[in-house]
Amino acid sequence: MNIVLLGAPGAGKGTQAAKLVDKYGFAHISTGDILRAAVKNQTPLGIEAKKYMDAGDLVPDELVIGLVKERLQDDDTKEGFILDGFPRTSTQAVALSSELTELNRPLDAALLVDVDKEVIIGRLTSRRVCRDCGYIGTEADKVCPKCGGEMYQRDDDNEATVRNRLDVYESSTAPLIDYYRGCDLLVEINGDQDPEVVFADVQKALNL
């Protein structure tokens, strides 16, 4: 099964992707990871992408799609893939669809993990991270329950920054949701539940 993963920062997409990978063996394809790997391995596309990244510019769509196509040649994608972080706009979605059709690997679903904006703000602003081991907890954790280290709030988890990130997400991604709804590929899941309940809903909605 081939899936595009959609959802706001803090909606729990990563948790659901990990569960799908563990249970069904899908390849989790994060475009950020692909870019970093291509740059590190100095592939032709990676060398090209690095020029834009070093200049602080966005990597062009055609380059990112080229990297995704390259990644889809790997053996671990044969059981299916979960594309995370791309496409981000309907223009990218159209281009991606064309390339996937050419590869005979069309999408089966665009999975939207949907959580109310105020719930996400509450989630992210209460998030705390251990300075020593990276454990992610909540403001109730005064010290890390894993290693006893100091828990702190990341700079980008303050309310003003979180609201801005969500506004950017909504303005850029709302058209993408409409695009996949128009393609009859959109599957919406209520992400404001226990992660196991969300996963059960995901499996049911995807007929897994």
Side-chain angles (χ1 to χ4, degrees):
M1 174 164 271
N2 304 328
I3 301 164
V4 161
L5 193 56
L6 304 172
K13 301 191 303 295
T15 300
Q16 297 308 314
K19 288 179 179 295
L20 287 167
V21 168
D22 286 346
K23 185 159 184 180
Y24 298 102
F26 301 149
H28 183 198
I29 300 177
S30 155
T31 44
D33 291 347
I34 297 176
L35 274 170
R36 283 186 288 276
V39 169
K40 183 182 174 188
N41 296 330
Q42 294 198 306
T43 69
L45 288 173
I47 291 166
E48 190 65 24
K50 189 174 187 295
K51 293 176 190 171
Y52 293 94
M53 293 160 77
D54 287 349
D57 296 332
L58 286 175
V59 179
D61 291 353
E62 61 269 21
L63 249 181
V64 178
I65 291 173
L67 287 163
V68 170
K69 280 180 73 176
E70 203 169 67
R71 177 69 177 83
L72 289 175
Q73 313 301 320
D74 293 347
D75 287 346
D76 67 336
T77 67
K78 286 190 169 65
E79 297 300 317
F81 60 83
I82 301 167
L83 201 51
D84 186 359
F86 189 87
R88 291 183 183 272
T89 66
S90 46
T91 304
Q92 291 174 349
V94 172
L96 176 69
S97 174
S98 170
E99 295 294 352
L100 291 177
T101 301
E102 196 177 296
L103 288 171
N104 201 24
R105 307 283 297 276
L107 290 175
D108 295 297
L111 178 64
L112 171 62
V113 181
D114 194 27
V115 180
D116 181 78
K117 182 177 179 177
E118 294 304 319
V119 171
I120 290 178
I121 290 167
R123 271 187 198 177
L124 294 184
T125 54
S126 70
R127 185 164 64 181
R128 298 293 184 272
V129 182
C130 174
R131 286 195 191 280
D132 296 331
C133 74
Y135 170 83
I136 296 174
T138 70
E139 58 192 343
D141 298 308
K142 301 305 178 191
V143 296
C144 175
K146 280 184 77 177
C147 76
E150 180 196 349
M151 300 293 286
Y152 77 104
Q153 183 182 42
R154 292 187 339 194
D155 291 343
D156 60 352
D157 282 344
N158 70 74
E159 185 171 339
T161 304
V162 168
R163 286 191 180 276
N164 184 55
R165 282 164 65 200
L166 291 174
D167 286 344
V168 169
Y169 166 80
E170 284 177 9
S171 62
S172 64
T173 312
L176 189 58
I177 291 167
D178 289 339
Y179 169 80
Y180 282 121
R181 186 180 283 119
C183 297
D184 207 24
L185 288 172
L186 191 70
V187 175
E188 295 184 70
I189 299 294
N190 174 15
D192 189 16
Q193 307 175 88
D194 180 274
E196 292 302 330
V197 176
V198 176
F199 188 52
D201 287 352
V202 166
Q203 293 174 95
K204 186 177 177 185
L206 295 176
N207 295 315
L208 291 170

